[in-house]
Amino acid sequence: MFQDYPKYCEFENDEFLKGDKIKIDEILNKEVLITGIKKEPSKVKKGETYNKIQVITEYIDDIPQYKIFFTTSQVLERQIMKYKSKLPFCAVIIKQNNYYTLT
């Protein structure tokens, strides 16, 4: 019936990130598909910001399982933002000394 009309999902470019909230520790040392990043103002510390990062942890019956986690990691922010034009991409998040990084 509506096949001659464009679909919203074909042209939308909303920065809204969806998914169940998880802690970064739940995905450490596991391969994930990083699908988005968004800088948001902190609700806890006025004047500060954090990164909201969206990942797909797995597919169940061909349905992506979106998760989001929040971090102030400048290393992760710098790495993901540097290659934001290549999103989505696979990576493993590891903790190295006192910071998180992608491998």
Side-chain angles (χ1 to χ4, degrees), residues 33-59:
L33 183 65
I34 298 174
T35 57
I37 184 170
K38 185 176 182 185
K39 188 176 260 330
E40 295 191 350
S42 175
K43 295 174 185 165
V44 178
K45 297 181 180 179
K46 299 293 182 198
E48 293 188 23
T49 60
Y50 64 90
N51 291 299
K52 182 178 184 181
I53 299 175
Q54 180 184 54
V55 299
I56 294 175
T57 55
E58 63 183 329
Y59 285 84

Side-chain angles (χ1 to χ4, degrees), residues 5-97:
Y5 296 95
K7 293 183 170 74
Y8 176 77
C9 63
E10 296 173 343
F11 59 80
E12 67 89 15
N13 193 15
D14 194 356
E15 291 272 335
F16 178 75
L17 303 180
K18 60 186 176 189
D20 296 329
K21 183 179 172 182
I22 60 170
K23 294 183 179 187
I24 194 170
D25 293 342
E26 295 178 47
I27 57 171
L28 278 183
N29 304 313
K30 298 177 184 174
E31 187 174 57
V32 294
L33 183 65
I34 298 174
T35 57
I37 184 170
K38 185 176 182 185
K39 188 176 260 330
E40 295 191 350
S42 175
K43 295 174 185 165
V44 178
K45 297 181 180 179
K46 299 293 182 198
E48 293 188 23
T49 60
Y50 64 90
N51 291 299
K52 182 178 184 181
I53 299 175
Q54 180 184 54
V55 299
I56 294 175
T57 55
E58 63 183 329
Y59 285 84
I60 298 176
D61 296 327
D62 294 327
I63 299 170
Q65 302 303 299
Y66 288 97
K67 309 290 183 191
I68 55 170
F69 65 93
F70 304 93
T71 181
T72 57
S73 170
Q74 294 178 356
V75 174
L76 283 181
E77 176 186 1
R78 187 173 57 248
Q79 290 174 320
I80 296 170
M81 293 303 286
K82 182 175 182 181
Y83 299 106
K84 190 173 182 178
S85 66
K86 297 191 180 290
L87 286 173
F89 59 78
C90 292
V92 176
I93 301 171
I94 63 169
K95 187 170 185 179
Q96 194 166 33
N97 299 320

Side-chain angles (χ1 to χ4, degrees), residues 1-7 10:
M1 177 171 155
F2 298 113
Q3 63 271 15
D4 295 334
Y5 296 95
K7 293 183 170 74
E10 296 173 343

